[in-house]
Amino acid sequence: HVQLVESGGGSVEAGGSLRLSCAYSGDTQNTAYMAWFRQFPGKDREGVAAIHRDGRTKYGDRAKGRFTISRDGGQAIVHLHMSSLKPEDTAMYYCAASQPPTYAGSWYQPTTYKFWGHGTQVTVS
């Protein structure tokens, strides 16, 4: 089992930046992708970015060029640095972990991930 705890959400003005963090613990050796998803009210979760344990990264179209995912293996934390934030980025952001094998092409699908955090709210105004 893997435990995930998100932090770093909050309110920011449009054009600003935020860094989300996901602290993970437990059976972390048995994970493949660590990812960030977001969910708008009444919508399904949307894949934002993911990072494989070998360092490969994936980004959703709306995150490319503005968001960066990184992994600090020494501290067991995955970060999502978000810049040039827009009001449409307002959502609940969730951290998730998948187990191997994970097909790279499925990184953006919520069903790929077995473990989830409780989320952190980001509000851009």
Side-chain angles (χ1 to χ4, degrees):
H1 194 78
V2 177
Q3 294 80 40
L4 305 169
V5 179
E6 303 97 334
S7 62
S11 297
V12 64
E13 292 185 352
S17 300
L18 275 177
R19 187 180 76 166
L20 305 183
S21 299
C22 173
Y24 54 92
S25 60
D27 188 17
T28 59
Q29 294 300 313
N30 194 27
T31 58
Y33 278 97
M34 300 289 292
W36 285 97
F37 282 76
R38 63 187 180 184
Q39 189 166 24
F40 307 107
K43 303 291 186 180
D44 292 335
R45 292 184 184 183
E46 170 186 290
V48 177
I51 185 165
H52 193 267
R53 63 183 301 110
D54 65 10
R56 287 176 289 155
T57 57
K58 302 287 187 181
Y59 292 95
D61 288 342
R62 295 199 277 184
K64 289 177 181 176
R66 297 190 300 128
F67 296 0
T68 302
I69 190 169
S70 62
R71 187 170 191 160
D72 183 339
Q75 296 190 28
I77 297 177
V78 173
H79 297 293
L80 181 69
H81 187 268
M82 306 185 293
S83 61
S84 301
L85 284 163
K86 306 173 184 180
E88 51 263 45
D89 293 316
T90 295
M92 183 70 79
Y93 284 71
Y94 296 90
C95 181
S98 73
Q99 292 185 304
T102 298
Y103 170 53
S106 68
W107 76 267
Y108 61 94
Q109 297 175 336
T111 53
T112 296
Y113 298 84
K114 181 174 182 179
F115 305 107
W116 291 86
H118 293 294
T120 185
Q121 176 69 36
V122 171
T123 302
V124 185
S125 59

